[in-house]
C-alpha cells in the first residue's frame, strides 16, 4: 500500500458527516490528522460534541478536535437542518460522552498547526458550511497554499439545489465564505449534488449490521440511517438516502469514483432567489481560469459498496 493521504476534516455532524468520518477512519488509504467543527446541520455546540463522541465510539480519542465558527461570516438568516438530521444532529442517537473536550486552540489555529507541522501536503475535506475554511484562507493564505487540495461537498453544476431551488445547503448556509474559498487559488475538487444525489444507500444495504448481538457502532449507524430514511420517505418519497459527505471522503480514497471537469466556479450571494447558488461555467463561456475540478459523474454502485463494506469492517474490528 502506498503512503496514506493525510487529511483534515472540517465537518458539521450531521448524519451523513458521521458516516463520512467512519469511512475515513476505516480507510487505510487515509491518515486523519484532525477534525474541525462548524455550525451547520446543528449548532456548533452539538457538532463539536458529536465529533468528540463519534471519535470516542470509534476508539480514536487521539485525533485532534478543534471547534470553529458557530455562525456564518455575514449571513444571519441561516438555520440548522433539524428536519434532516434531528435537533441534536445525529437523529436522536445517543452516544457515550467523550473523556475530553475540544482542543484549546480553535479550528483555524489548529488547522494552521497541523498543516504547517506535516512534512507532506495535507488534503482538507470540507463537509459543512465553508466558514472555517474561509477564515483559514483569510488569516493564513500562506498556510492554505500548502494544502494538497480542498475536497468539498457543496454546490451543484447542473443539479442546483436541495435547500432552495438554486442552492445546496452547505453553500446556502454561508455563501460569502464559499465565494472566498473558491477564489482562494487553492486546488479544489467540488463534490456537489450532481454526483451526491446518485450516491445513495438503501436500508437493506446495512443488513450486515442488523444482528442480534449488534455492538455500539452498528447500533449508532442503524439509528442514524433509520432517522435519515424516515426523513427521505416523508420528504422525497424514497428509501434511498444520499450519502453526500461520504462521497467527498470516498473521492480522496478512490479518485476514479468520479469524473471531473475543470471549470470556473463562483458563488451568488446577493440574489434574492439565488443566494448560495454555485455558478459553474462548464462551457467556459466567460473565459476565466478554472477554479475547481467539478465532479459530474459517479460510479454510484462502486461508491455504495466501498462505504458499506468499510463501515461494516469498522464495526467488526471494534467488537
Ligand atoms: C450537505 O448538507 C448537509 O445536510 C449534509 O451534511 C451535507 O454536508 C448536503 O447538501
Ligand atoms: Ca455535512
Amino acid at each position: 500500500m502506498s503512503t496514506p493521504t493525510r487529511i483534515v476534516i472540517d465537518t458539521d455532524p450531521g448524519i451523513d458527516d458521521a458516516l463520512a468520518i467512519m469511512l475515513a477512519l476505516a480507510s487505510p488509504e487515509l491518515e486523519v490528522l484532525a477534525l474541525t467543527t462548524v455550525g451547520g446541520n446543528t449548532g456548533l455546540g452539538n457538532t463539536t460534541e458529536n465529533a468528540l463522541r463519534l471519535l470516542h465510539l470509534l476508539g480514536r480519542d487521539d485525533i485532534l478536535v478543534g471547534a470553529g465558527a458557530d455562525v456564518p461570516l455575514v449571513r444571519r438568516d441561516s438555520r440548522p437542518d433539524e428536519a434532516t438530521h434531528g435537533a441534536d444532529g445525529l437523529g436522536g442517537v445517543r452516544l457515550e460522552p467523550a473523556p475530553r473536550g475540544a482542543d484549546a486552540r480553535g479550528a483555524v489555529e489548529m488547522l494552521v498547526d497541523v498543516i504547517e507541522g506535516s512534512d507532506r501536503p495535507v488534503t482538507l475535506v470540507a463537509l459543512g458550511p465553508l466558514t472555517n475554511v474561509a477564515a483559514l484562507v483569510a488569516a493564513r493564505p500562506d498556510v492554505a497554499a500548502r494544502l494538497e487540495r480542498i475536497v468539498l461537498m457543496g454546490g451543484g453544476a447542473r443539479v442546483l439545489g436541495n435547500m432552495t431551488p438554486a442552492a445546496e445547503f452547505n453553500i446556502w448556509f454561508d455563501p460569502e465564505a464559499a465565494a472566498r474559498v473558491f477564489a482562494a487559488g487553492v486546488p479544489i475538487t467540488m463534490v456537489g449534488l450532481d454526483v451526491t444525489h446518485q450516491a445513495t444507500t438503501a436500508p437493506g444495504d446495512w443488513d450486515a449490521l442488523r444482528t442480534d448481538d449488534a455492538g455500539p457502532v452498528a447500533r449508532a449507524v442503524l439509528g442514524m440511517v433509520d432517522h435519515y430514511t424516515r426523513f427521505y420517505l416523508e420528504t422525497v418519497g424514497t428509501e434511498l438516502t444520499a450519502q453526500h459527505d461520504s462521497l467527498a471522503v470516498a473521492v480522496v480514497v478512490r479518485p476514479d469514483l468520479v469524473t471531473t471537469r475543470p471549470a470556473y466556479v463562483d458563488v451568488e450571494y446577493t440574489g434574492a432567489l439565488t443566494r448560495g447558488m454555485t455558478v459553474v461555467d462548464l462551457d467556459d463561456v466567460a473565459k476565466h481560469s478554472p477554479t475547481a475540478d467539478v465532479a459530474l459523474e459517479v460510479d454510484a454502485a462502486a461508491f455504495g459498496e466501498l462505504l458499506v463494506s468499510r463501515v461494516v469492517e469498522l464495526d467488526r474490528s471494534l467488537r
Side-chain angles (χ1 to χ4, degrees):
M1 160 101 40
S2 52
T3 318
T5 303
R6 285 192 173 152
I7 68 168
V8 289
I9 304 176
D10 189 69
T11 178
D12 60 336
I15 291 173
D16 61 325
D17 300 75
L19 292 174
I21 291 165
M22 290 185 183
L23 173 62
L25 295 177
S27 295
E29 298 87 349
L30 307 181
E31 181 184 350
V32 181
L33 301 179
L35 303 188
T36 50
T37 54
V38 64
N41 288 323
T42 179
L44 182 72
N46 284 340
T47 60
T48 305
E49 193 57 34
N50 291 344
L52 288 161
R53 289 182 182 215
L54 275 165
L55 290 174
H56 185 54
L57 172 75
L58 303 171
R60 296 303 307 268
D61 291 317
D62 59 302
I63 294 180
L64 295 166
V65 175
D70 195 11
V71 293
L73 293 184
V74 176
R75 182 164 197 157
R76 285 294 169 265
D77 58 347
S78 299
R79 54 187 187 279
D81 189 3
E82 291 189 353
T84 311
H85 301 271
D88 61 354
L90 297 182
V93 169
R94 301 182 90 81
L95 301 178
E96 289 293 315
R100 59 170 180 156
D103 196 279
R105 292 167 293 179
V108 174
E109 199 182 329
M110 172 178 291
L111 286 171
V112 169
D113 288 350
V114 168
I115 296 163
E116 283 193 320
S118 175
D119 59 5
R120 49 179 211 276
V122 173
T123 294
L124 197 167
V125 183
L127 306 179
L130 290 163
T131 321
N132 292 340
V133 185
L136 170 71
V137 162
R140 292 296 303 270
D142 56 318
V143 174
R146 292 174 64 158
L147 288 167
E148 173 98 45
R149 61 175 168 149
I150 297 170
V151 178
L152 65 89
M153 190 286 129
R158 297 177 180 129
V159 181
L160 297 177
N162 60 357
M163 191 63 203
T164 73
E168 180 279 329
F169 178 79
N170 288 338
I171 308 295
W172 171 88
F173 197 93
D174 194 346
E176 282 82 2
R180 291 176 201 191
V181 171
F182 278 105
V186 179
I188 292 175
T189 303
M190 174 177 140
V191 180
L193 297 177
D194 305 271
V195 282
T196 68
H197 269 173
Q198 298 171 58
T200 57
T201 58
D205 293 340
W206 302 99
D207 281 351
L209 299 176
R210 294 181 207 279
T211 58
D212 289 339
D213 62 342
V217 176
R219 287 202 301 274
V221 171
L222 292 172
M224 291 189 289
V225 166
D226 286 351
H227 176 96
Y228 206 33
T229 304
R230 275 197 299 280
F231 166 78
Y232 268 80
L233 270 173
E234 282 162 19
T235 57
V236 195
T238 173
E239 288 191 332
L240 297 177
T241 53
Q243 302 300 340
H244 304 280
D245 292 341
S246 287
L247 183 59
V249 169
V251 163
V252 188
V253 175
R254 273 191 53 186
D256 64 313
L257 285 175
V258 292
T259 310
T260 60
R261 194 192 298 181
Y264 178 76
V265 181
D266 207 342
V267 177
E268 174 59 69
Y269 51 80
T270 56
L273 298 175
T274 53
R275 192 155 187 218
M277 175 180 175
T278 45
V279 180
V280 181
D281 191 2
L282 285 178
D283 296 326
D284 196 20
V285 174
K287 305 291 175 213
H288 292 313
S289 298
T291 49
D293 286 320
V294 179
L296 295 175
E297 281 156 40
V298 57
D299 183 342
F303 161 74
E305 161 64 22
L306 177 77
L307 171 62
V308 172
S309 64
R310 294 276 168 101
V311 171
V312 169
E313 276 167 35
L314 185 63
D315 169 56
R316 301 229 159 105
S317 71
L318 291 166
R319 289 283 184 99

